[in-house]
Amino acid sequence: MPKESTYTAKLPDQDGIYAYTPEEDAIWSELYGRQIALLADNACDEYLEGVKTLGLDAPRVPQLKDVDARLKRATGFGVEGVPALIAPSKFFQLLSEGKFPLATFIRRREHIDYIEEPDIFHEVFGHCPLLTNAAYASFVRRFGENAVALGKDYSWHLFRIFWFTVEFGLINTEKGRRCYGAGIVSSPNETRAAMVEKACEFRPFDLMTVLRTPYRIDIVQPIYYVIDSFADLDAINDEDIGAAIREAKALGDFAPTFAAKAS
Ligand SMILES: [Fe+2]
């Protein structure tokens, strides 16, 4: 996530409605249309079911309160509109309360293929469908609780767990390997890289390995971690994550498989 964003949060009116322009609806429509086609054979069934449960469709940017109501009916999870960038402590606090923080602006056309900060397409299309799945929603909420309890000294490594699961996770299914991470399902480049071109490394999810793996947010991922089930994912929360992070810090990071960012 960049330190500064050129986007500002949209604010709701007194009825909780966010106003989007016809151009913004058109951008949602284009993004939705191409991703839903690409994901049919590439995303896991739980994600695709979640798209239906939430009633997401092409014509316009969905309203946050509709997503919130449908999610609540499914798993009790909710969403909360936030500015484009929020502090890690606030982020984890919201997750622990069962609220997924949503940036409410949508990208401009110049960023239609790639945007560094999360916009509402990434948030709603990427993150919200799987939050209709009970095991996944439990993982996210309990991960937030663990993160709040551990505090900011652990944030750096907690974001690695989040990155390699919620953002860029893959899952083994009866139909083969499928994607579920929001950074993959909301990005055509990432979907193709992980599911079609596969010029990357796939590793079975292992907590200690993940904790020692550095990542860059602004490149197509060179490494993906693959889980076997969402119940397995939720079981991470039963481990002593704090002790694992302390051990990972003592062991040190693996050498990056990518070039350092030019500054
Ligand atoms: Fe995200």
Side-chain angles (χ1 to χ4, degrees):
M1 202 180 290
K3 293 255 184 303
E4 291 176 12
S5 175
T6 60
Y7 291 95
T8 50
K10 274 188 188 285
L11 297 173
D13 68 13
Q14 58 191 14
D15 298 319
I17 302 293
Y18 291 80
Y20 295 97
T21 66
E23 167 66 2
E24 288 174 324
D25 283 336
I27 287 173
W28 170 276
S29 185
E30 191 172 324
L31 290 167
Y32 179 92
R34 72 180 180 185
Q35 274 311 95
I36 205 72
L38 190 53
L39 292 175
D41 294 324
N42 289 314
C44 67
D45 287 346
E46 293 88 341
Y47 170 85
L48 295 169
E49 278 300 312
V51 172
K52 289 186 203 154
T53 302
L54 293 181
L56 301 183
D57 58 9
R60 63 189 61 82
V61 185
Q63 286 295 323
L64 187 145
K65 69 177 188 177
D66 294 338
V67 174
D68 187 65
R70 287 180 170 163
L71 258 184
K72 284 215 171 88
R73 273 204 296 276
T75 54
F77 224 89
V79 292
E80 183 157 310
V82 298
L85 304 172
I86 61 170
S89 57
K90 172 77 174 168
F91 181 77
F92 289 136
Q93 180 70 39
L94 285 168
L95 296 187
S96 75
E97 294 167 1
K99 297 175 194 158
F100 204 89
L102 294 198
T104 51
F105 70 92
I106 191 161
R107 68 194 71 182
R108 294 183 290 269
R109 193 159 290 280
E110 73 214 55
H111 293 141
I112 194 137
D113 288 323
Y114 177 75
I115 179 172
E116 195 167 329
E117 60 266 62
D119 72 341
I120 194 166
F121 183 75
H122 170 81
E123 308 280 41
V124 169
F125 187 86
H127 282 292
C128 291
L130 259 192
L131 288 167
T132 63
N133 176 272
Y136 181 84
S138 171
F139 164 71
V140 174
R141 184 195 291 254
R142 294 172 66 214
F143 180 72
E145 290 169 357
N146 274 320
V148 169
L150 287 167
K152 69 176 170 45
D153 289 349
Y154 291 81
S155 290
W156 186 258
H157 286 80
L158 289 165
F159 274 117
R160 286 188 177 167
I161 300 175
F162 193 85
W163 185 260
F164 288 113
T165 58
V166 174
E167 294 292 357
F168 287 96
L170 298 169
I171 184 168
N172 289 317
T173 77
E174 289 174 353
K175 300 173 184 170
R177 195 167 51 217
R178 294 289 185 266
C179 57
Y180 71 88
I184 304 177
V185 298
S186 68
S187 159
N189 291 343
E190 284 287 349
T191 309
R192 281 192 210 96
M195 306 305 301
V196 182
E197 293 152 13
K198 301 179 189 168
C200 47
E201 191 182 340
F202 299 100
R203 298 177 180 172
F205 185 94
D206 170 72
L207 183 59
M208 186 55 57
T209 310
V210 165
L211 287 171
R212 298 178 66 196
T213 307
Y215 64 86
R216 255 180 74 172
I217 68 166
D218 57 343
I219 55 173
V220 171
Q221 298 302 301
I223 298 168
Y224 297 94
Y225 285 95
V226 189
I227 60 170
D228 288 324
S229 71
F230 292 117
D232 282 1
L233 186 64
D234 193 22
I236 294 168
N237 287 303
D238 299 325
E239 298 191 39
D240 187 339
I241 295 175
I245 290 175
R246 290 191 292 277
E247 186 181 343
K249 284 181 178 177
L251 291 168
D253 286 354
F254 297 127
T257 57
F258 47 79
K261 187 173 186 176
S263 57

